[in-house]
Amino acid sequence: MSDPFELVNDLRALSANLWWSWHPEIGEIFQALDAERWQALRQNPIAFLDSFEPAELEQRAHQGALATRIEQALRRQHEGTRQRGPRANPEAGPLHPRPVAYFCAEFGLHESLPIYSGGLGVLAGDHLKAASDCHVPIVGVGLFYAEGYFEQGLDARGRQVEHYGRHRLDQLPIRQLCDADGAPLVVEVEVAGRPICLHLREAMVGRSRLILLDCDIELNPPEDRRLTTQLYGGDQRTRIRQEVLLGVGGVRALAQLGIRPGVFHLNEGHSAFATLELCARQMQEEGIDFEEARQRVARQTVFTTHTPVPAGHDRFAPEMIDEALGSLRERLGLDLRAFHGLGRIHLDDPDEPFCMTVLAMKMSDFTNGVSHLHGRVSRQMWAGLYQQHSPPAAPIGHITNGVHVASVLAPRMRDLFDRHLGPGWTARMDRPETWEGIAGIDEGELWETHQILKARLLDFVARRVATQEAPRGQEAGQILPGSGLGQEVLTLGFARRFATYKRADLILSDLARFKRLIHDSQHPIQILYAGKAHPADEQGKALIQKIVELTTDPDLGGRVVFLANYDMDIARHLIQGVDVWLNNPRRPQEACGTSGQKAVFNGVLNCSVLDGWWAEGYDGQNGFAIGQGAELPDPARQDELDARELYRVLQESILPLYHQVDAHGLRRAWISRMKWAMLSLGWRYNAQRMMLDYLRRAYLPAVGATTSG
Ligand SMILES: *Cc1c(COP(=O)(O)O)cnc(C)c1O
């Protein structure tokens, strides 16, 4: 008997694993079923499929002649998500019985699972995807936030408004983990002297598992249930409790699931309490003392630090540590001095708060920053820690971040790569030779591809502006944002978290000059903005308001746009379709920055301060540099200098190059740079290279395997 809803079931199977999110042919199937609804439901395949009667859906799939495509996609998905054991990647063999446990407070996998706020989360998501692609066994550990991160609206004055809504659990690609009798698994963690229960939810990311802990369940009293409701919400007390749940709860969840990791990778210090739980367990199981347990745990622990901005490191007053973790201290057999000292550089300084980064560094033998420059800055920043302690902590090295190419590459650009980089190029992205084929791409075809992506972006912007909240430029003396955008105008993109050090308004610092750039009769520019400010960051919000106000200023001709509610969807459109990606943090505060890497793969040229990855990636020809990497002690002077350098590179390098055409009207000089950017940067700044670096330099040594690479 044949199943009347066979295709519907296949579609459901496709939506159940986030693998679909980096295989655009699947999104295209959903789009073919109902493009409008697919957009309206924010490309959430589960909500999308749910919105149809099965019979109607089955009929549509047949009518659209989608059966073959669906079956083919499902076959590929089976192949791409099947566990193939150590033989699939012998190099990762030693991790097979004992995988990597990868802890992070946020995971950015797709816009339909909004449990991320920015680059850290997207990086964590990319890490799981790359591990799946490379057959590196990994289990992600994070928190499930029922309300996620806020959705950003704008009020009539252009102020950011934060909306929180509960996600419908049944419309997310996660399932509850249960025991053999079908009862939900429960993990208990003592926080501030009270037991808190966690349910375990699981998302599948290709071959990688992601375990998400959730305390918003009936077993907990109402005041505890909200602890994991919002990402980076609440006060310090909420934050420390979330971190206890993530670290301690994560270790317990893995044990409960029978997973015995060979490596614990702490991605940022939020999860560092995990190491204390690991020590306590070792002490109990092996009858060893704390110091021996610490050494064993440190051998297995990899710590990645993500910011040189002091405020970016969680610090807690000792009393808060005692309140939240009192019983753990007893299990570790430590007195207050020793316990507080784990988070301090100066053990006996009572005024020094407990720093999660310090804890993570003391508890791991491998610590890294996320770019060459960030490694160096981190070594300076934490020098005090090495001098004080014996044995000295391992020095901080670096593994530069890379982006998951399949998640950000426009399908049209991918077609070009498929034709020029040779079969199987996606499995060899880390090798320079793989990218040599870029040279053979026809200039005209590359430009056409870029122009199509740009047109698609401008269309997307027009639709978003038409539906986004106020201000819409309806008032007297205002103009509709985006009404002056043009296909042939040099387009800059700037989108990321609105943290102050990223200086979203640097290009506006000389407003008269900016207006002249916008209105230049020969070579005008236009700029697209997006980004959220943390709800408690008044300065970031003021920046947003300043920019939003400008978008309706008639003097700017509708050529400045702010897209509300930045997410991975907006990010993809922007980094695929602008001409130049702008990045102007106050050096050296951007540890890496990854959005510019996403742009490179799509033929978008990066224009950046020499900070983060750009300080090592820029070679004079593969994009543009703002200034020469100067660091001035006075931030105001630094901003002034960098603004001047930004205007200069725009007017003296970028605009003349963009408008240089050959006898056939082709922007050959510009296109050569696009190609050189892909060729010179592609092999280094992808997540596959990053994954192999972690595997060879951090994971294999942590399990005592010798490395070959
Ligand atoms: C890539 C990405 C980021 C990181 O941007 P940076 O420029 O590195 O700060 C932030 N948010 C989203 C949604 C992204 O996709």
Side-chain angles (χ1 to χ4, degrees):
M1 246 183 45
S2 75
D3 178 350
F5 300 132
E6 196 180 341
L7 292 178
V8 175
N9 290 336
D10 288 353
L11 288 165
R12 293 222 166 97
L14 284 173
S15 71
N17 187 315
L18 282 150
W19 192 84
W20 79 265
S21 69
W22 72 97
H23 294 86
E25 67 271 20
I26 302 179
E28 283 160 16
I29 291 172
F30 295 127
Q31 189 145 7
L33 285 165
D34 187 336
E36 225 168 278
R37 201 183 297 191
W38 175 239
Q39 293 304 328
L41 293 170
R42 299 183 58 182
Q43 322 198 65
N44 176 337
I46 300 176
F48 176 78
L49 296 175
D50 251 18
S51 72
F52 291 94
E53 289 297 328
E56 190 201 352
L57 193 57
E58 188 76 19
Q59 196 192 5
R60 278 191 189 220
H62 282 295
Q63 274 170 353
L66 294 172
T68 317
R69 279 165 71 186
I70 293 171
E71 284 155 17
Q72 212 165 36
L74 197 60
R75 255 198 313 279
R76 282 194 61 197
Q77 190 204 49
H78 280 311
E79 185 54 31
T81 58
R82 192 161 59 90
Q83 301 294 347
R84 302 224 326 260
R87 264 178 310 179
N89 176 5
E91 207 182 345
L95 293 168
H96 261 275
R98 312 196 60 187
V100 177
Y102 182 85
F103 284 70
C104 193
E106 48 171 315
F107 285 89
L109 291 154
H110 186 258
E111 57 269 21
S112 59
L113 184 56
I115 52 171
Y116 63 93
S117 102
L120 178 70
V122 176
L123 179 85
D126 282 5
H127 203 83
L128 296 186
K129 292 172 181 174
S132 171
D133 295 343
C134 298
H135 299 270
V136 173
I138 198 165
V139 183
V141 179
L143 295 178
F144 178 72
Y145 307 97
E147 295 180 2
Y149 199 53
F150 72 92
E151 300 224 342
Q152 177 193 54
L154 300 169
D155 72 11
R157 298 179 353 248
R159 290 270 305 166
Q160 167 174 300
V161 190
E162 295 112 26
H163 306 288
Y164 286 94
R166 286 186 80 80
H167 310 319
R168 281 188 48 181
L169 272 171
D170 60 334
Q171 294 189 339
L172 295 177
I174 53 176
R175 68 183 186 102
Q176 174 133 40
L177 293 177
C178 297
D179 64 17
D181 302 325
L185 289 177
V186 178
V187 165
E188 209 178 276
V189 179
E190 191 180 318
V191 185
R194 293 223 299 270
I196 291 187
C197 295
L198 295 162
H199 277 179
L200 312 183
R201 308 192 185 281
E202 178 188 64
M204 288 307 299
V205 184
R207 299 180 179 90
S208 307
R209 288 174 88 176
L210 170 59
I211 309 296
L212 297 169
L213 314 174
D214 184 1
C215 76
D216 192 359
I217 56 176
E218 281 175 8
L219 292 170
N220 294 319
E223 65 272 25
D224 291 338
R225 288 184 61 159
R226 287 197 59 81
L227 273 180
T228 53
T229 313
Q230 295 175 357
L231 170 61
Y232 303 144
D235 55 8
Q236 283 277 96
R237 186 158 266 113
T238 305
R239 177 65 76 94
I240 194 172
R241 291 174 187 203
Q242 284 191 345
E243 294 186 359
V244 175
L245 293 176
L246 173 62
V248 177
V251 168
R252 294 190 172 186
L254 291 167
Q256 169 115 255
L257 294 168
I259 300 169
R260 299 187 56 220
V263 184
F264 291 86
H265 187 165
L266 312 177
N267 196 46
E268 189 47 285
H270 304 123
S271 56
F273 292 138
T275 58
L276 300 181
E277 172 68 13
L278 285 169
C279 283
R281 296 174 90 85
Q282 291 244 353
M283 289 166 69
Q284 195 190 357
E285 285 161 20
E286 317 273 330
I288 54 180
D289 68 6
F290 175 75
E291 182 48 27
E292 194 176 344
R294 191 201 65 79
Q295 286 177 23
R296 286 193 194 182
V297 168
R299 270 198 295 280
Q300 282 195 296
T301 303
V302 170
F303 170 53
T304 304
T305 176
H306 280 273
T307 180
V309 180
H313 298 263
D314 275 327
R315 290 183 167 82
F316 299 110
E319 308 80 65
M320 282 183 78
I321 292 284
D322 297 342
E323 184 198 33
L325 283 170
S327 64
L328 186 58
R329 179 176 72 79
E330 284 162 25
R331 285 166 64 212
L332 294 171
L334 296 176
D335 60 22
L336 280 176
R337 175 180 178 270
F339 192 59
H340 294 163
L342 291 171
R344 277 183 181 150
I345 293 178
H346 307 283
L347 291 190
D348 290 310
D349 177 356
D351 294 328
E352 187 176 327
F354 187 102
C355 176
M356 296 300 282
T357 307
V358 173
L359 173 66
M361 286 193 290
K362 289 189 178 182
M363 301 302 287
S364 57
D365 283 352
F366 186 98
T367 295
N368 70 291
V370 289
S371 70
H372 180 84
L373 177 62
H374 178 228
R376 200 168 79 209
V377 171
S378 299
R379 282 190 291 280
Q380 287 164 5
M381 187 169 171
W382 303 106
L385 189 60
Y386 305 141
Q387 288 151 8
Q388 297 244 344
H389 295 277
S390 72
I396 306 170
H398 78 275
I399 291 178
T400 304
N401 292 338
V403 295
H404 189 252
V405 177
S407 296
V408 293
L409 188 61
R412 280 176 194 280
M413 202 55 86
R414 170 155 185 156
D415 289 344
L416 274 186
F417 288 10
D418 284 345
R419 275 167 33 219
H420 290 274
L421 303 189
W425 68 272
T426 53
R428 298 180 275 105
M429 276 191 274
D430 60 315
R431 301 190 203 153
E433 316 86 80
T434 301
W435 298 88
E436 283 168 8
I438 293 283
I441 298 179
D442 179 78
E443 270 83 5
E445 194 176 4
L446 180 58
W447 185 251
E448 246 170 58
T449 305
H450 170 66
Q451 287 292 82
I452 293 171
L453 293 174
K454 184 171 173 180
R456 200 175 146 256
L457 167 64
L458 294 180
D459 196 48
F460 174 80
V461 170
R463 272 183 285 126
R464 295 290 289 223
V465 169
T467 53
Q468 82 189 22
E469 295 168 53
R472 302 275 318 284
Q474 318 72 336
E475 286 176 32
Q478 289 189 340
I479 191 169
L480 181 69
S483 51
L485 297 178
Q487 173 81 24
E488 299 305 321
V489 178
L490 179 88
T491 306
L492 306 179
F494 183 103
R496 45 182 63 84
R497 289 183 305 115
F498 267 53
T500 326
Y501 77 87
K502 293 177 185 261
R503 300 187 298 187
D505 61 342
L506 191 72
I507 198 171
L508 309 174
S509 36
D510 180 344
L511 202 53
R513 191 161 178 186
F514 178 69
K515 287 182 177 173
R516 287 201 298 279
L517 279 167
I518 289 277
H519 282 299
D520 190 285
S521 58
Q522 296 280 305
H523 299 155
I525 64 166
Q526 57 197 15
I527 182 163
L528 308 176
Y529 279 104
K532 296 176 180 177
H534 186 276
D537 178 7
E538 287 305 324
Q539 273 182 308
K541 290 195 206 179
L543 268 181
I544 289 174
Q545 184 172 22
K546 172 174 165 186
I547 290 167
V548 173
E549 274 172 358
L550 285 176
T551 64
T552 61
D553 181 342
D555 277 0
L556 289 167
R559 287 189 169 155
V560 180
V561 172
F562 184 91
L563 297 175
N565 204 23
Y566 187 47
D567 66 357
M568 291 175 76
D569 183 33
I570 296 183
R572 247 183 346 262
H573 280 90
L574 287 174
I575 51 103
Q576 292 174 358
V578 298
D579 297 303
V580 171
W581 191 253
L582 186 59
N583 180 49
N584 42 235
R586 203 176 278 139
R587 177 175 152 135
Q589 299 190 49
E590 190 63 82
C592 179
T594 50
S595 57
Q597 299 174 350
K598 300 171 198 168
V600 162
F601 291 97
N602 290 288
V604 170
L605 291 177
N606 200 38
C607 171
S608 171
V609 164
L610 292 172
D611 196 9
W613 76 286
W614 201 232
E616 69 194 68
Y618 177 64
D619 73 354
Q621 296 297 317
N622 53 12
F624 307 95
I626 302 168
Q628 273 127 30
E631 290 171 28
L632 306 184
D634 175 2
R637 297 269 319 282
Q638 176 89 57
D639 295 354
E640 236 171 78
L641 172 69
D642 289 344
R644 270 205 312 278
E645 293 289 350
L646 169 55
Y647 294 125
R648 201 155 73 103
V649 70
L650 259 175
Q651 287 182 300
E652 292 177 14
S653 304
I654 296 178
L655 283 161
L657 196 76
Y658 184 77
H659 290 284
Q660 196 177 317
V661 290
D662 72 2
H664 307 285
L666 198 62
R667 301 178 205 251
R668 202 172 284 279
W670 188 269
I671 301 165
S672 301
R673 288 227 181 184
M674 290 165 64
K675 289 170 76 168
W676 181 245
M678 296 180 187
L679 220 160
S680 64
L681 300 167
W683 64 277
R684 276 175 87 181
Y685 298 105
N686 66 77
Q688 185 180 345
R689 190 275 310 149
M690 170 175 72
M691 176 54 57
L692 293 174
D693 276 354
Y694 276 106
L695 176 67
R696 292 166 185 164
R697 292 179 42 209
Y699 298 162
L700 292 176
V703 292
T706 48
T707 55
S708 56

